Amino acid sequence: MIVLNSSDGATFEVEESVAVQSQTIKHMIEDNCADTSIPLPNVNGVTLARVLEYIKKHAEAKDDEEGLKSFDAEFVKVDQASLFEIILAANYLDIKGLLDLTCQTVADQIKDLTVEEVRAIFNIMNDFTPEEEAKLRNDHAWAFE
Amino acid sequence: MDKYIPLHLITEILSKLPVKSLLKFRCVSKSWLSVIWSPQFIKAHLKDHASEDNQRLLILGNFGSFKHCSLKSLMYGEPSPRLITVDIPIPLPDERSGRGASSFTEHISWYGPVRIVGCCDGLICISVTRASQSDFILWNPSIRKYKKLPNLGLPSTSPSNRVWGFGYDSFSDDYKAVILVKQCSINGEGLRVETRVYSRKSEAWRRIADFPSTPRYTSPSSGVLVNGKLHFLAHEKVRGRIIVSLDLTTETYGEMEEPNHYESDVCVTLSEIEGILLYFINPFPGPFGRGGDLWVMKEYGGSWTKVLTFPHEPSGPFCPKLLSVSAEGELLMRECVGIELYSSREGKSFRLLKEIYNVFDAYCFTESLVLPSTHDSNCNDNMKPTKF
């Protein structure tokens, strides 16, 4: 069993065979950094719990394609802030399947939004001048319909 | 939203978006614009969209009409999935002269003046013939950008006798169009076949070594891209029927045997499905000559394996281009009367997309951001087509 410590002090136990779905944890174990427990200062307790739920399910139901598909569909039904937390955690822990799933989910959520709505979601400043933006919109005006 | 997503993760999200959304989101900020238009992103996006879910079937019908639909919907259930029409980016020659037999070069066929040279990574190379010349265009209909290629000055023979191809050279990261031009030698040596290559990087045509045999014309006649090489049916003086390959990276030729030795060959086609070369032969002559054998080259450069014999029946295939295979082994193919799905279990074909008759050509196609030119300013926008 491997012990994981979240950024806010929560402790989780997980089987090594399950934990190695995270390439980051796998390398830490291989490099012998996992004597007592593995500190994960970049992931809070709530998010780590969710990530562990994902990797546990994907370990135990490995061959059940249909079952995993419906699990994944339910798994991503969380608010956007939580989804972003999971993306950051999946990236830090290097869990490809989870990263692909969550990024695809966000992509599906934003694809029909307006430019302004997308800027709000990602907290992005518009650094184009009005003329520059107008020209860009004009270049592919049909994409905005 | 107080959580900051770093740009490299935003890029992961963006590469899963459809092309139309990406064109819109270029306006979000300067960093998003530079990500979306970067060659690395365009490639990553292409790779992320290579799955079966995103494949589309592109169909060329009468008089340069292009339509596409979801390949998955077509093969797994809907006999008539939603068709999207894409307007060819340049004006076509007058339709009326195409229909009548007013001049030899314009009475090309009742399909009209447009042909597909090839289709690769969302880029389509097409030829439009008017009066005495053929013009070539590199076109990405998903982003509605095109580039007219420089004039080749081909002799005004009927474009129905053209053999050509289009594909990707992964070593040079370049897209190339290839045209085989039959020339009669001035000093009476006989027929020579010149090969001209256009590269997207150089934006110019070059002549390379002559084609080593005589290409055989089939309809439509594009080289089939497998393993970075274009494959053409050919006839060699001594050995007879062979397949000639042109490596797009080294620009050198290779040869391979056709499977078996058939007495006659009413119709032979080469196709590609999932990177594998297929060879179909219908050896039955006459107007009811249908059915035949399908061979597959499982390992590239290895031997041919016969995988299927179509029944010799009026409903059998005549001269099909194989397009795709379903999980249950059903074959999607293009016949000139339409798109068909062949079930080997039932031993018969079913017409799909019944509202389209006369399918001149069909390709599997993915939407992509790949530009027709490596310099964006050299691409023209569909919305304001340049006058020819």
Side-chain angles (χ1 to χ4, degrees), chain B residues 243-267:
Chain B
I243 295 168
V244 172
S245 64
L246 172 60
D247 186 313
L248 288 177
T249 300
T250 60
E251 293 176 356
T252 54
Y253 300 98
E255 280 178 3
M256 37 176 83
E257 298 282 319
E258 295 193 358
N260 233 7
H261 260 297
Y262 293 88
E263 307 246 311
S264 63
D265 59 344
V266 171
C267 173

Side-chain angles (χ1 to χ4, degrees), chain B residues 84-365:
Chain B
I84 298 175
T85 303
V86 277
D87 292 322
I88 189 171
I90 49 106
L92 286 177
D94 191 348
E95 279 191 24
R96 284 171 306 217
S97 56
R99 270 194 210 115
S102 53
S103 73
F104 170 69
T105 50
E106 300 210 10
H107 177 61
I108 290 146
S109 75
W110 91 89
Y111 291 105
V114 180
R115 301 282 187 276
I116 299 179
V117 173
C119 178
C120 181
D121 292 349
L123 269 185
I124 309 174
C125 184
I126 61 178
S127 138
V128 179
T129 301
R130 58 182 73 236
S132 56
Q133 63 169 28
S134 291
D135 292 306
F136 295 92
I137 296 158
L138 219 48
W139 177 35
N140 182 336
S142 316
I143 61 176
R144 302 195 192 178
K145 293 263 190 209
Y146 74 98
K147 176 169 173 53
K148 181 172 169 293
L149 308 194
N151 269 329
L152 245 187
L154 289 181
S156 57
T157 52
S158 167
S160 297
N161 289 330
R162 294 264 180 265
V163 179
W164 45 34
F166 178 71
Y168 179 64
D169 165 10
S170 57
F171 187 77
S172 321
D173 184 27
D174 200 1
Y175 291 92
K176 294 181 176 171
V178 173
I179 316 259
L180 306 181
V181 186
K182 288 183 191 174
Q183 306 276 24
C184 282
S185 214
I186 295 169
N187 59 10
E189 266 169 16
L191 200 63
R192 195 177 79 233
V193 181
E194 290 184 4
T195 306
R196 305 285 169 83
V197 177
Y198 173 87
S199 109
R200 185 183 72 148
K201 271 192 175 153
S202 70
E203 295 191 345
W205 291 97
R206 262 178 307 123
R207 192 175 153 197
I208 64 170
D210 284 353
F211 195 77
S213 324
T214 307
R216 278 146 66 192
Y217 172 76
T218 56
S219 168
S221 62
S222 289
V224 173
L225 185 70
V226 172
N227 237 36
K229 302 176 179 40
L230 285 172
H231 296 78
F232 301 93
L233 293 168
H235 186 95
E236 206 274 325
K237 271 195 297 265
V238 173
R239 277 168 297 130
R241 302 198 312 254
I242 53 166
I243 295 168
V244 172
S245 64
L246 172 60
D247 186 313
L248 288 177
T249 300
T250 60
E251 293 176 356
T252 54
Y253 300 98
E255 280 178 3
M256 37 176 83
E257 298 282 319
E258 295 193 358
N260 233 7
H261 260 297
Y262 293 88
E263 307 246 311
S264 63
D265 59 344
V266 171
C267 173
V268 174
T269 63
L270 287 178
S271 309
E272 172 269 331
I273 294 181
E274 288 164 27
I276 304 231
L277 190 61
L278 299 125
Y279 175 99
F280 169 85
I281 177 160
N282 169 353
F284 303 110
F288 300 109
R290 287 168 187 280
D293 294 330
L294 183 65
W295 298 75
V296 149
M297 184 177 276
K298 291 186 173 163
E299 286 247 0
Y300 187 78
S303 56
W304 292 98
T305 309
K306 191 195 295 192
V307 293
L308 187 59
T309 298
F310 293 97
H312 178 36
E313 278 165 13
S315 62
F318 174 62
C319 193
K321 174 179 181 173
L322 284 310
L323 295 162
S324 186
V325 60
S326 75
E328 286 89 48
E330 292 159 317
L331 281 165
L332 186 74
M333 50 198 190
R334 168 252 159 206
E335 288 269 31
C336 48
V337 291
I339 300 289
E340 300 192 348
L341 191 66
Y342 177 80
S343 159
S344 52
R345 203 166 23 103
E346 302 185 46
K348 43 198 259 242
S349 291
F350 300 90
R351 271 292 294 284
L352 301 181
L353 294 171
K354 292 198 174 121
E355 68 269 40
I356 303 184
Y357 41 91
N358 300 328
V359 174
F360 190 73
D361 207 349
Y363 276 87
C364 288
F365 161 80

Side-chain angles (χ1 to χ4, degrees), chain A residues 84 88 91 100 104 107 110-113 115 118-119 121 123-124 127-128 136 139-140 142-144, chain B residues 1 3 5-6 8-9 13 16-17 20-21 23-30 32 142-144 381:
Chain A
F84 280 30
L88 291 166
N91 175 59
D100 281 345
Q104 183 67 62
I110 66 171
K111 70 177 188 213
D112 293 322
L113 297 183
V115 171
V118 167
R119 286 188 188 127
I121 288 175
N123 221 9
I124 294 176
D127 51 358
F128 288 117
L136 280 173
D139 262 354
H140 297 275
W142 55 273
F144 291 85
Chain B
M1 176 58 336
K3 206 66 199 192
I5 303 267
H8 79 273
L9 285 180
I13 296 170
K16 291 164 168 41
L17 282 169
K20 193 175 173 188
S21 307
L23 292 173
K24 230 189 333 180
F25 296 157
R26 286 153 79 237
C27 298
V28 166
S29 74
K30 287 185 178 169
W32 279 44
S142 316
I143 61 176
R144 302 195 192 178
D381 193 1

